Amino acid sequence: MHLLWLGICSAAVAQPASVTFTHDLAPIVFSHCAPCHHAGGLGPFPLLTYSDVAKHSTQIAAVTRSRYMPPWPPERGFGDFAGDRSLTQTQIELFSEWIKQGKPEGDPASLPSAPTFTGGWQLGEPDLILKMPRPFRMPESGSDVFRNFILPSGVTQVKYVRALELRVDNPRAVHHANIVLDRIQALRRRDGEDGQPGFPGMDVITEAAANNFDPDSHFLFWKPATVLRPEADDMSWRLDPATDLVLNLHLQPTGKEEMIQVQVGIYFAAHAPAKFPMLLQLEHDGAIRIPPGDRTFSVTDSLTLPVDVDLLAIYPHAHYLGKTVEAWAILPNGNRRWLIRITDWDINWQATYDYREPIALPKGTRVAMRITYDNSTANPRNPNRPPKLVLTGNRSEDEMGHVWLQVLPKGNSGSGDPRLLLQEAAMRRRLEKYPGDFLAHYNLAALLAYGGHLDSAITEYSAALRSEPDSAGAHNALGVAFMAEGKLAEANAQLRDALRLDATYANAHYNLARVLAASADTSGAATEYETFLKTNPNDADAQAGLGTMQFKEHRFADALIHFREAARLNPQDPDIQTNLGTLLAITGDLPAAAEAFQIALRLNPGQAAARANLDRVRTQMQARK
């Protein structure tokens, strides 16, 4: 037997491929870094040229290796999101390899076109621009400031909105912003109450909701460096006349006094929406009490879906102690579907995340969340040194724990409006956590009233008022529910309580006018309609209501003025046209009366009063010939 000596083969060892800026790094930098790192952007230096990137190459390699940059908190594999800014491991390794190879620039011919940033509106010139009327002065130091600014929309007819864009003159001082719709302008009374533009606080969202129940909802949220994604026209949202946009700003001191003035650009859709998303909130703020030194404190919440939905987007929110944010769905078959997971929460990079494709969640799915907090010195973002007990609250040094889900409810045969069923489930779940919660009782009452369950609605409104007896909005809503049940005395009392609490509450004046009219108090009703119309002159129903009271008092000339205005504001209402025709006939203008009756009949051929009055007017006109 011969022993064979095996020599080592001299095959070539693979060498790393050449990495150049123009071919390999520029496409990554231009798409993932430049949107913030350009002149005037949020980044501290530009990254638009070879020299820019070469100068900061070591820093770029370090922050991408740690995944601190580009900022993309969600963990891969726990949700597939549109606009994912994170880098693959291969992309991250390219930076280090490029440095090892001496940072070659590469062939200029292979350099892609650098992005351009004009500093104007991202989405082009808006259809409507609203601006804070006066700048707000932010002090150089102190705690965070939450400030609300009223922006009247000024629209005179219903519009549908596909996108909002904020232009902030001082983005370093603005942490984030929300837009709240105040459809009855109830919050403008607080504007300037402390001598400065706007008014303070974070309760604006709750207060607006208590004044107006609206089951449709969108993420009207802005953060510096937000990439804007307009909604499709078929999922736009309604902007009514006499609606105020309330700009809710979270401001942070920068070390010097800042003047802040924000513009909101509004982009209209071509037509009304056909899809109506909703926002669901998972939270358990009432359980937040984080002891100093506790690194694993957590809160959880869940909700079982009563209808099929498509999940469109998700928005998690916590403050500085937040560490891990998780949300998932347990499907009816028991399978778990991850919705998001963030293992290193950073309040400075909170965002709304749109799913690349909607996630279908069938009826019976349980959606759940868990947020874990680190209140120790090991948390570099802990604002307290040494750590202290932290409770729930709106200040940044307090804590929150929310996961918002934007869903598109889908109807289940015979089960009613899916939006209302979903909202009812959310409110009943909230009352399980917080039995005395004002907003949950109020919204549940609104849902029940909308569905015609007036007795139950009255019970829930009464429960809301036990929690907040000074809520003018709840007194007003309870009054409307009593009125719908024909309990006029009870309705009168509630509406007068609303006006005692807020004499400027326009809707309460309008509703009291209706109650007084139904109680045959025409003079009192006319007074209330007149008060309402001082601030809402473009309300056709109120114009017609006042005209009706004046008609009953035989003030025909005055009544005619208001019915003419009502017909101008709402020319498609056959009742208004019929009543206008009646007044025109009484005051002797028979041709105009005939025309009004004919319009009414074109709008509603079955309008018996219009047909009878038209025949009578024609007979009178014939007799005059």
Side-chain angles (χ1 to χ4, degrees):
M1 180 177 180
H2 296 86
L3 297 178
L4 298 177
W5 177 73
L6 301 177
I8 297 175
C9 177
S10 61
V13 176
Q15 296 296 317
S18 175
V19 178
T20 68
F21 171 76
T22 57
H23 182 268
D24 301 287
L25 297 190
I28 300 172
V29 172
F30 289 171
S31 64
H32 290 75
C33 309
C36 287
H37 289 268
H38 63 269
L42 288 174
F45 46 79
L47 290 175
L48 289 172
T49 66
Y50 167 76
S51 59
D52 290 340
V53 177
K55 178 180 178 181
H56 297 282
S57 58
T58 302
Q59 183 180 359
I60 294 170
V63 297
T64 55
R65 189 182 309 114
S66 67
R67 296 193 179 274
Y68 181 71
M69 287 285 162
W72 187 258
E75 189 173 334
R76 281 178 174 265
F78 293 82
D80 183 18
F81 300 106
D84 187 339
R85 293 194 301 269
S86 64
L87 300 180
T88 66
Q89 190 60 36
T90 299
Q91 289 173 318
I92 291 171
E93 291 169 357
L94 283 174
F95 285 98
S96 296
E97 187 58 38
W98 180 60
I99 294 172
K100 288 179 184 177
Q101 294 183 18
K103 298 184 282 191
E105 182 173 4
D107 182 2
S110 64
L111 180 68
S113 298
T116 57
F117 303 95
T118 63
W121 296 97
Q122 283 187 44
L123 300 178
E125 189 65 20
D127 297 303
L128 175 65
I129 298 175
L130 306 178
K131 184 177 181 179
M132 289 169 50
R134 289 187 293 154
F136 174 73
R137 183 185 66 82
M138 180 68 185
E140 64 183 31
S141 60
S143 61
D144 294 7
V145 170
F146 296 92
R147 196 78 184 177
N148 306 281
F149 303 92
I150 303 295
L151 305 178
S153 68
V155 300
T156 57
Q157 57 184 332
V158 173
K159 297 285 188 179
Y160 299 97
V161 179
R162 63 183 177 86
L164 287 178
E165 181 174 345
L166 269 65
R167 288 190 69 178
V168 179
D169 59 349
N170 203 335
R172 295 185 187 278
V174 181
H175 184 272
H176 73 273
N178 295 295
I179 298 287
V180 178
L181 299 180
D182 182 5
R183 298 189 189 277
I184 62 171
Q185 300 178 329
L187 295 171
R188 56 171 52 188
R189 60 185 167 75
R190 296 187 59 188
D191 191 16
E193 62 188 7
D194 59 0
Q196 292 199 68
F199 58 93
M202 279 291 291
D203 59 346
V204 60
I205 297 174
T206 300
E207 190 169 349
N211 287 320
N212 176 74
F213 171 71
D214 189 346
D216 304 329
S217 44
H218 296 253
F219 283 125
L220 304 183
F221 170 86
W222 178 89
K223 185 92 171 71
T226 296
V227 177
L228 299 176
R229 297 183 184 88
E231 300 275 19
D233 281 8
D234 67 352
M235 212 170 76
S236 56
W237 51 269
R238 190 184 78 254
L239 179 61
D240 294 319
T243 295
D244 288 339
L245 276 68
V246 184
L247 179 63
N248 172 241
L249 297 182
H250 175 186
L251 306 172
Q252 294 178 315
T254 65
K256 64 184 183 72
E257 183 176 286
E258 306 280 6
M259 301 301 290
I260 297 163
Q261 193 168 25
V262 176
Q263 297 181 75
V264 178
I266 299 177
Y267 300 83
F268 295 138
H271 53 76
K275 300 176 181 178
F276 302 94
M278 287 182 60
L279 296 182
L280 298 178
Q281 183 189 37
L282 300 175
E283 62 79 39
H284 205 163
D285 283 350
I288 293 180
R289 185 182 178 86
I290 312 174
D294 193 334
R295 302 188 62 180
T296 59
F297 183 90
S298 65
V299 294
T300 61
D301 192 21
S302 65
L303 173 68
T304 299
L305 303 176
V307 296
D308 299 341
V309 305
D310 281 337
L311 177 60
L312 306 178
I314 189 167
Y315 167 46
H317 177 71
H319 291 173
Y320 291 107
L321 300 186
K323 189 63 178 176
T324 302
V325 176
E326 300 170 299
W328 62 90
I330 303 297
L331 303 176
N333 62 8
N335 291 340
R336 178 192 292 255
R337 175 78 181 262
W338 278 98
L339 305 180
I340 197 168
R341 189 166 189 261
I342 298 172
T343 55
D344 188 18
W345 171 261
D346 186 340
I347 187 176
N348 292 311
W349 295 114
Q350 62 180 312
T352 299
Y353 302 101
D354 297 320
Y355 291 97
R356 198 181 306 274
E357 296 292 338
I359 299 175
L361 300 177
K363 176 182 177 180
T365 296
R366 183 170 64 88
V367 289
M369 72 90 176
R370 177 173 54 243
I371 299 179
T372 303
Y373 303 85
D374 182 353
N375 191 13
S376 73
T377 55
N379 181 355
R381 301 184 185 99
N382 193 333
N384 302 310
R385 293 287 193 264
K388 66 177 185 179
L389 176 68
V390 174
L391 306 176
T392 185
N394 290 320
R395 302 175 306 167
S396 289
E397 56 263 40
D398 301 323
E399 263 305 335
M400 285 183 168
H402 301 166
V403 173
W404 292 86
L405 306 174
Q406 186 187 44
V407 301
L408 191 61
K410 297 188 286 190
N412 295 312
S413 178
S415 60
D417 188 332
R419 297 171 298 162
L420 303 185
L421 294 173
L422 196 53
Q423 184 78 352
E424 181 177 349
M427 291 304 103
R428 292 194 184 280
R429 170 61 182 142
R430 185 168 180 83
L431 287 171
E432 290 176 6
K433 295 180 290 184
Y434 314 116
D437 185 75
F438 166 79
L439 190 57
H441 281 297
Y442 181 94
N443 280 345
L444 181 56
L447 285 162
L448 293 166
Y450 186 85
H453 306 292
L454 292 173
D455 285 342
S456 297
I458 288 170
T459 298
E460 293 299 331
Y461 280 132
S462 300
L465 282 166
R466 284 195 293 274
S467 295
E468 292 190 17
D470 291 339
S471 169
H475 280 289
N476 176 66
L478 179 54
V480 171
F482 277 131
M483 178 170 53
E485 278 217 320
K487 298 178 179 178
L488 300 182
E490 292 89 338
N492 190 317
Q494 291 298 324
L495 293 167
R496 292 193 184 279
D497 277 343
L499 291 169
R500 173 181 56 80
L501 293 163
D502 181 2
T504 67
Y505 197 166
N507 266 27
H509 282 292
Y510 177 80
N511 290 324
L512 181 57
R514 294 169 61 205
V515 167
L516 294 173
S519 305
D521 183 353
T522 55
S523 176
T527 298
E528 294 300 326
Y529 277 128
E530 287 169 348
T531 302
F532 176 80
L533 286 168
K534 287 177 183 177
T535 54
N536 298 271
N538 293 324
D539 190 294
D541 290 338
Q543 292 284 358
L546 178 55
T548 300
M549 296 304 100
Q550 292 168 337
F551 174 84
K552 290 183 176 182
E553 294 177 334
H554 300 283
R555 296 163 54 191
F556 300 129
D558 292 335
L560 180 58
I561 292 172
H562 290 289
F563 269 105
R564 284 189 189 276
E565 184 64 8
R568 184 189 69 82
L569 292 167
N570 186 5
Q572 303 303 309
D573 189 314
D575 292 332
I576 289 176
Q577 294 290 345
T578 299
N579 290 330
L580 173 60
T582 300
L583 282 164
L584 288 165
I586 289 173
T587 55
D589 192 345
L590 298 182
E595 182 181 357
F597 292 137
Q598 288 168 344
I599 293 172
L601 288 168
R602 282 199 298 271
L603 295 169
N604 179 12
Q607 189 89 333
R611 188 164 302 281
N613 287 340
L614 178 59
D615 290 342
R616 188 174 298 113
V617 164
R618 282 174 172 168
T619 300
Q620 292 177 6
M621 291 173 66
Q622 188 65 32
R624 290 183 179 181
K625 290 183 179 179

